Amino acid sequence: MNQSRRAARMGRHHKRRGVVALSLTSMMDIFTILVFFLLVNSGTEQQLPSNQSVELPQSLAQQLPKDALIVMVSKDDIIVQGRRIMSADAAEKLEDDVLPALLQELKLQSSNRLTVAAEERNPAIVMGDKTIPYRLLRKIMYTLSEANYTDISLAVMKKEKPVS
């Protein structure tokens, strides 16, 4: 079968080039970088730790928690980032609004956190049991503000909207 001049020229050109090997090294580098990029950027929302000793109040709040310091307050203990700081009874009995043991731990946690700028807000999430007294919650929030945690949030369970 006769080929056109163009088809014959293309055939000769392809015979000269031979088999082209695909370079997998650069492709693997690109995929490795892509995997790390996706892993780092997929974890922007923070999952709050679950604890059976803390029963959160319910709310219709829609906002998800961001990366922040977690202060958990159960009926018995005050826990910062999973570490027990003091008992809730001892904190409640203190006359002063500032809880010294909690303040010391908060300053330690603040110094350990990586901050980009000095004016950046220090976020904190208080996971308080729904039965703790308000004066204890107020003392904890006041101590957080004394430790320069300016963005304080309260953790709640998302309540489903009633169907009407």
Side-chain angles (χ1 to χ4, degrees):
M1 175 175 194
N2 285 342
Q3 293 181 345
S4 68
R5 290 173 64 172
R6 181 171 184 248
R9 182 176 47 84
M10 287 174 61
R12 285 192 308 271
H13 175 73
H14 288 295
K15 281 182 188 176
R16 266 188 262 140
R17 286 189 74 200
V19 176
V20 178
L22 182 63
S23 176
L24 292 178
T25 306
S26 58
M27 191 181 311
M28 291 298 291
D29 289 342
I30 290 170
F31 283 125
T32 304
I33 292 169
L34 183 64
V35 166
F36 284 121
F37 174 78
L38 292 174
L39 283 174
V40 168
N41 288 331
S42 68
T44 57
E45 299 297 328
Q46 182 181 15
Q47 186 73 14
L48 293 176
S50 64
N51 191 342
Q52 273 59 25
S53 65
V54 176
E55 188 178 343
L56 295 175
Q58 292 189 350
S59 172
L60 294 175
Q62 297 295 320
Q63 196 172 8
L64 294 174
K66 294 181 179 156
D67 185 28
L69 178 86
I70 297 177
V71 179
M72 195 176 309
V73 186
S74 69
K75 298 170 192 167
D76 304 320
D77 297 317
I78 298 174
I79 302 166
V80 176
Q81 294 294 98
R83 203 169 125 202
R84 183 186 181 279
I85 303 304
M86 63 190 309
S87 74
D89 290 335
E92 199 174 345
K93 290 177 184 173
L94 283 174
E95 293 295 322
D96 195 14
D97 282 342
V98 176
L99 305 172
L102 180 60
L103 182 64
Q104 181 181 3
E105 179 66 23
L106 292 173
K107 287 186 177 180
L108 176 70
Q109 291 289 335
S110 180
S111 67
N112 289 342
R113 291 179 72 86
L114 296 175
T115 54
V116 177
E119 66 272 355
E120 184 177 318
R121 305 183 98 180
N122 281 334
I125 298 174
V126 178
M127 289 182 64
D129 191 87
K130 67 181 183 180
T131 60
I132 63 169
Y134 173 73
R135 70 179 162 275
L136 176 59
L137 183 62
R138 187 175 55 85
K139 285 181 181 184
I140 291 168
M141 292 176 72
Y142 186 77
T143 305
L144 279 164
S145 67
E146 286 294 312
N148 293 328
Y149 283 89
T150 54
D151 192 9
I152 302 170
S153 303
L154 296 174
V156 293
M157 291 295 291
K158 186 176 180 180
K159 182 175 24 175
E160 297 300 320
K161 292 181 181 179
V163 179
S164 23

